[in-house]
Amino acid sequence: MTSHTTPADPPPAGSRAARRRLVRELLLVAGLFAVYKAGRTLSTGRTDEAFRNATRIWDAERALHLPGEGAIQRLLLHGDALIHVANTYYAAVHFPATVLFLVWLYLRRPGHYLWTRRVLAVLTAAALAIHLSFPLAPPRMLDAAHLVDTGQVYGPTVYRAAPAADTMANQFAAMPSLHFGWALMLALGMIAATRSRWRVLWLLHPLMTLLVVVGTANHYWLDAIVATVLLGAALLVVPRPAAEPAREPASRPAPPGRSVPSPARRPADAARVAFGPDLPARAGGNAAGDPAAPVPVPATAGAGR
């Protein structure tokens, strides 16, 4: 007695193509992010220039009469719990929120995903160019600002106490603030891709991010302003996608033993199929569909009487 096995059916071509697209997107996004992270490290040794630029930014903000970053920090320092939440938001929300946003768009709004990915790529490339040409020490390092490094004092923090010893991040890449730029794009992307009447509430994410990056003394106001200008330019360069319809849930199957009825016809439609196109559009009405008007009688109706 011989036994043989039936080979498994090969996966459909559509599913293989979908997997290839997913792998390609993952490699592309990961590659772009790796290039950005590597590029940021090229300006880590320009300490003196970074502090000179910080003094210029601080003086420019005072000349523009922008509110002091210390006003926001004093609000956060009213309680240890509040400043700890702000540090956690800065350290743990920025990147995971952006990843979840892109994953949701990829699965539910593919056209908006491509648009968002391109906008974020343009924004991040422009930010990298500024990081390399304009190294900037954050306000927590500037003595003239008299601000607290909340991450080091209260935790958690993503930076080392000494910038020179930090091999994972460039602490002199404060301008522009990609924390704020990516958060603002997340909100705009969700507003564009959804139809809920409450979708404007997504703007609370960049607003919270702005208060956090300033209150923790990781960024100046001008860092967020420059990020907004760059994002606006990216949105002008990248064409906006056409509106995508929301994916409807699959229809409920009919109960066993019952046939699915065909779409109901109006009485006049059914009669027109049975007796020809000369029947009025509605039973009891005329051809124009007015039920109150008399039905016209053909001239041959009285013949033979």
Side-chain angles (χ1 to χ4, degrees):
M1 181 176 178
T2 61
S3 62
H4 56 83
T5 59
T6 303
D9 294 334
S15 62
R16 292 197 301 269
R19 285 197 294 269
R20 285 196 297 268
R21 286 195 301 270
L22 177 59
V23 171
R24 186 170 61 248
E25 284 298 323
L26 290 175
L27 292 176
L28 176 61
V29 173
L32 291 174
F33 185 73
V35 169
Y36 167 73
K37 293 291 288 185
R40 279 170 54 110
T41 61
L42 297 178
S43 61
T44 52
R46 300 158 66 183
T47 303
D48 294 340
E49 185 179 357
F51 278 95
R52 286 195 300 270
N53 290 334
T55 302
R56 295 189 184 102
I57 292 296
W58 184 260
D59 293 340
E61 287 190 343
R62 307 292 76 79
L64 294 172
H65 302 289
L66 293 177
E69 287 80 357
I72 305 299
Q73 185 172 90
R74 285 190 292 271
L75 292 176
L76 297 179
L77 291 176
H78 279 171
D80 290 355
L82 188 59
I83 193 62
H84 184 78
V85 168
N87 288 333
T88 303
Y89 197 95
Y90 180 87
V93 173
H94 165 62
F95 191 72
T98 306
V99 171
L100 290 176
F101 165 59
L102 290 174
V103 169
W104 186 87
L105 287 180
Y106 183 86
L107 297 176
R108 301 300 298 273
R109 303 289 189 274
H112 283 82
Y113 166 78
L114 290 175
W115 170 64
T116 302
R117 188 245 286 160
R118 291 165 181 164
V119 170
L120 287 177
V122 172
L123 169 63
T124 306
L128 179 59
I130 296 178
H131 292 162
L132 296 177
S133 60
F134 191 79
L136 178 65
R140 56 187 167 82
M141 297 182 184
L142 189 61
D143 293 337
H146 303 292
L147 295 174
V148 178
D149 187 343
T150 61
Q152 296 294 334
V153 176
Y154 299 94
T157 182
V158 295
Y159 303 119
R160 292 181 179 271
D166 200 337
T167 59
M168 299 300 295
N170 178 10
Q171 298 192 38
F172 296 147
M175 178 178 287
S177 170
L178 283 183
H179 266 74
F180 180 74
W182 286 11
L184 183 57
M185 184 57 208
L186 186 155
L188 296 178
M190 290 303 296
I191 290 173
T194 58
R195 293 295 178 265
S196 169
R197 69 174 65 181
W198 304 106
R199 64 185 185 276
V200 70
L201 293 180
W202 284 105
L203 290 173
L204 292 176
H205 174 52
L207 176 60
M208 181 68 69
T209 301
L210 177 61
L211 297 178
V212 164
V213 299
V214 171
T216 57
N218 283 294
H219 287 283
Y220 305 89
W221 293 112
L222 282 176
D223 296 341
I225 293 173
V226 172
T228 303
V229 172
L230 293 178
L231 178 58
L235 291 171
L236 291 176
V237 170
V238 180
R240 183 172 175 177
E244 294 179 284
R247 295 186 179 179
E248 299 293 338
S251 58
R252 183 185 302 176
R258 295 181 61 182
S259 60
V260 179
S262 59
R265 289 193 180 104
R266 294 181 301 177
D269 294 335
R272 191 178 296 107
V273 172
F275 299 105
D278 293 334
L279 191 74
R282 294 187 184 177
N286 62 2
D290 185 1
V295 178
V297 179
T300 58
R305 285 190 182 179

